[in-house]
Amino acid sequence: GDCLFALDAASFFQVNTRAAQNLARLAQDMLRQTRGGAENGASLLDLYCGVGAPGQLLAPDYDRLLGLECDKRAVALARRNAERGGLTRCRYETGDAAALLDRLRRERRGPGWDTVLADPPRAGLAPRVLDGLLALRPQTILYISCNPATLARDVALLKEQGFRLLGARAVDMFP
């Protein structure tokens, strides 16, 4: 979009920025179609958020965003990027995804997380991460994958738990 993101040499970021913009627009369109527009109190859990780019591009459609990431430097950059973009309803936590999801489940006091943006590493969602995600009972999961095999595996597991695949789109990140 029109956003700039601070990175460091160790940060993961899509090197093909034009394709990354296409992916971000596609994610935004898919979530808007699925959700029918922004709802009062809507929340986004950005799992494997990196420096915050995909979630922050979606953030204006949500009342709150929580980004989870294991890389401390990336989380510091995500916080800085949110501040620079004026995104005051975004917060970020560093740690193991499964442990953070388990803590969120145990601490659940108010509204949960309606939407999850999951952009896992090539290995996909580890079993404990998938269990933690399912325990949060999100209404929608947008899964961005760079590995079709682990995507297929995880989609099959999610379908076993009552989720439906509403659509899939491919973006060539290396044209």
Side-chain angles (χ1 to χ4, degrees):
D2 294 328
C3 302
L4 296 175
F5 295 96
L7 309 171
D8 72 16
S11 301
F12 174 81
F13 202 81
Q14 294 294 341
V15 294
N16 184 336
T17 55
R18 184 174 293 160
Q21 288 180 28
N22 290 338
L23 177 63
R25 274 192 298 276
L26 184 58
Q28 203 169 33
D29 291 346
M30 290 176 86
L31 283 176
R32 284 180 177 160
Q33 289 170 9
T34 302
R35 294 177 57 240
E39 300 156 7
N40 223 3
S43 58
L44 176 65
L45 180 63
D46 188 357
L47 187 55
Y48 306 103
C49 69
V51 299
Q56 289 179 23
L57 293 170
L58 299 169
D61 287 348
Y62 293 88
D63 287 347
R64 63 191 175 109
L65 176 147
L66 174 61
L68 306 179
E69 172 62 51
C70 66
D71 180 354
K72 287 184 215 176
R73 290 180 306 209
V75 168
L77 287 165
R79 288 179 180 134
R80 191 165 118 200
N81 288 329
E83 185 178 318
R84 174 190 257 165
L87 301 170
T88 58
R89 297 175 308 220
C90 298
R91 68 183 178 98
Y92 296 90
E93 295 186 20
T94 305
D96 172 73
L100 290 170
L101 289 171
D102 187 50
R103 198 193 81 229
L104 284 177
R105 180 192 52 78
R106 284 184 280 115
E107 292 177 352
R108 188 171 181 177
R109 291 184 192 104
W113 299 95
D114 343 90
T115 304
V116 172
L117 169 61
D119 189 358
R122 290 188 184 280
L125 299 173
R128 285 187 53 229
V129 172
L130 186 61
D131 290 345
L133 184 59
L134 292 170
L136 293 176
R137 299 179 165 188
Q139 295 171 356
T140 303
I141 300 171
L142 178 70
Y143 191 126
I144 297 175
S145 175
C146 59
N147 185 340
T150 57
L151 172 65
R153 178 201 68 206
D154 292 347
V155 166
L157 292 169
L158 288 165
K159 286 176 79 174
E160 287 175 10
Q161 298 300 316
F163 282 88
R164 293 179 301 134
L165 178 63
L166 298 180
R169 304 290 183 277
V171 177
D172 185 355
M173 301 303 288
F174 300 101

